Amino acid sequence: MNERVNLTGFHPAELAQFVATLGEPAYRGRQIFAALQHRRLQSFGQMTDLPKGLRERLNQIATASTLTVESRYISEDGTRRFLMKTHDNFPVETVFIPEEHRDTICFSSQSGCPLQCTFCLTAQLGLLRSLTAGEIAEQIIIALNDVYGVGVKPPHCVNLVGMGAGEPFLNFDELIKALRVMADPQGLFIVPNRVTISTAGVVPRILELATLPDRPHLAISLGAPTNEQRNELMPINKKWPLDELLSACKEFEKTLQAGERFTFEYVMLDGVNDSDQHARQLANLLNRHELRAKVNLIPHNPADPLPYQPSPAERVTQFQSILDSKGVRSFVRRPRGRDIFAACGQLAARGAINSIQNTARSVLAHVN
Ligand code: SF4
């Protein structure tokens, strides 16, 4: 498996080059791309429109699938969490969230995460490794095939969020490549307008994203309104402090086109960052940088052994009304899949699984 090249992360031009090295015409590359990305086939044996000899050759030198699903958990609210592993045994987590008029798939960009946000279970894994473009795209293929059947068109639109394990902007090139592969009309056809990427604040990549015409929506995880507190909760702040981060955000905001979304995320930790003063500081910070972006307030998703609890509903309402009084628009995000550790900040592969198996067996439908 290791030496075989994974074709799932190849875009059509790369596949045309690849089949040329096998002495095949370019249209075979287009056939393979459609089989992988549109028909969502995960083995060459299923690609019966290819000559048998080519399928056998592909089996020897390439692969159409590198991730294996280890476990699948289904929440009471229909959310599905997939624990997969890479060919070299690193965990990858993906969450499928059904809604009335659309589905959302939350994918991982890295196995583990090098950043040390204290409210996030993934941080405890550290960075295991970054995922390839193929491994990113394959998460979406696996989730869609599991929910709807192999190649079956989803009944409504599919949105993607890069908010699973990892810091997407520390794996920027593979991330952008995967998004371009998935946007192709002959493939999954999930266009950038249906994708939101969240970063903890990797400033150079925010500025780079601002230069890309085919970029996804951007969300910035803030977590705290002062450098002192953000250094504690999100140590990446020591490298790119709030003023530097928000100046980059302002540059990004200046390039926004009609229909593009740019948001801030603020995880609300009971008694930690949710006071009236924090709300005023947050509003003043955004106003000082003349940022108009909306703030998503996210009550923390508790996960042992993290020392935090979600802010109570009345606190969230009060926090929101202070933001509102200072002209900052906000929205409270409803947690999904908390019972299966699929909510934001709860993805941590083995740790979460152990915790689930020990403490929440009764509410899980554990398949496999
Ligand atoms: S919140 Fe995101 S960036 Fe921070 S440790 Fe968790 S996965 Fe990494």
Side-chain angles (χ1 to χ4, degrees), residues 112-117 119-123 164-167 200 221 234 345:
C113 183
L115 303 186
Q116 295 291 310
C117 305
F119 47 80
C120 172
L121 209 52
T122 311
E167 164 51 60
S221 177
M234 301 179 71

Side-chain angles (χ1 to χ4, degrees), residues 129-151:
R129 80 163 164 78
S130 287
L131 301 179
T132 63
E135 288 165 335
I136 293 172
E138 194 178 336
Q139 293 173 61
I140 283 71
I141 290 169
I142 287 174
L144 290 175
N145 283 351
D146 184 78
V147 176
Y148 295 114
V150 175

